[in-house]
Amino acid sequence: MAGKSSLPPPHLKVAGASKRFGAIEALKDVDFEVRRGEVMALVGDNGAGKSTLIKSLAGAYRIDDGQIFLDGKEVMIGSPLDAAAIGIQIVYQDLALCENLDVSSNLYLGHEPVLGGWAKLLPKALRPLDELKMEKKALEAIDRLQVRTLASVRSKVGTLSGGQRQAVAIARAVGTDSTIVLLDEPTAALGVAQTKQVLDVVKHLRDNDHAVVYISHNLSDVFEVSDRITVLRHGANVAVFETSNTNPDEIVAAVTRGASRDKVVAG
């Protein structure tokens, strides 16, 4: 294994993040980072602060204290638009897909291209959608993530399996020039075959040089796709592990019993 000096710097870094909801301190001086071309798993029991952290990165919450850096430059994230502007996209458990629309329409939801040429004579709200462009770009997005189980981008989302819907939601997230993708329990309630589909997509995200933050309670999935694992407990850092140098028992011990703050075993 290469020495720590050869590791790339973090693409996204959080330093000393704290977040309070009244008397509840959801995050307590949390440090966190993820590199490009890496899957960083974020694990912890319910109430550990995982969702609060990624919602803060996605702009749903604003941290009360601390700093966020992108490629070493401090950034301010106060809204989802701020997060999207710097390349951060999140895929929540509910996916936020429109089941009555097809795959290509879901990928372009809210920013559909319209026809040019003669259509420019019409008010923008009345211009026909450029459906051929939507279909072409959707095919490129699906192919980039190597989703092989989707018969057509014209398929209605309501007819797709759970794994296929996750793939569509992830494709939408990476189709907006994002470099950081936050995944919140992407395999929850999926069967074995569907889970494999989603994990394969996560691996392709890493291969395409995205920085991926992967939240899951399923340690089997975590160990299959992650490069490093950050453990949170009661809103605070416990440790960061190299996945290849740890095991599920050690992670469970860190989640349930905690560890010294200075026990960081990954660079």
Side-chain angles (χ1 to χ4, degrees), residues 171-262:
R172 183 174 64 187
V174 302
T176 55
D177 296 324
S178 62
T179 59
I180 301 160
V181 181
L182 316 175
L183 302 174
D184 187 9
E185 295 283 359
T187 61
L190 295 184
V192 174
Q194 295 176 355
T195 293
K196 183 181 184 304
Q197 293 173 12
V198 174
L199 297 182
D200 286 344
V201 170
V202 174
K203 293 173 185 176
H204 290 308
L205 282 179
R206 174 176 56 203
D207 294 342
N208 288 326
D209 206 32
H210 280 80
V212 184
V213 179
Y214 185 93
I215 290 183
S216 181
H217 285 97
N218 189 319
L219 290 185
S220 175
D221 294 352
V222 165
F223 272 82
E224 180 170 344
V225 300
S226 71
D227 299 286
R228 292 190 293 165
I229 303 169
T230 295
V231 180
L232 296 183
R233 187 169 187 266
H234 299 321
N237 288 105
V238 171
V240 181
F241 298 88
E242 293 280 356
T243 305
S244 60
N245 291 333
T246 188
N247 58 69
D249 289 342
E250 189 171 19
I251 300 300
V252 170
V255 168
T256 57
R257 298 195 294 271
S260 171
R261 173 82 185 248
D262 59 7

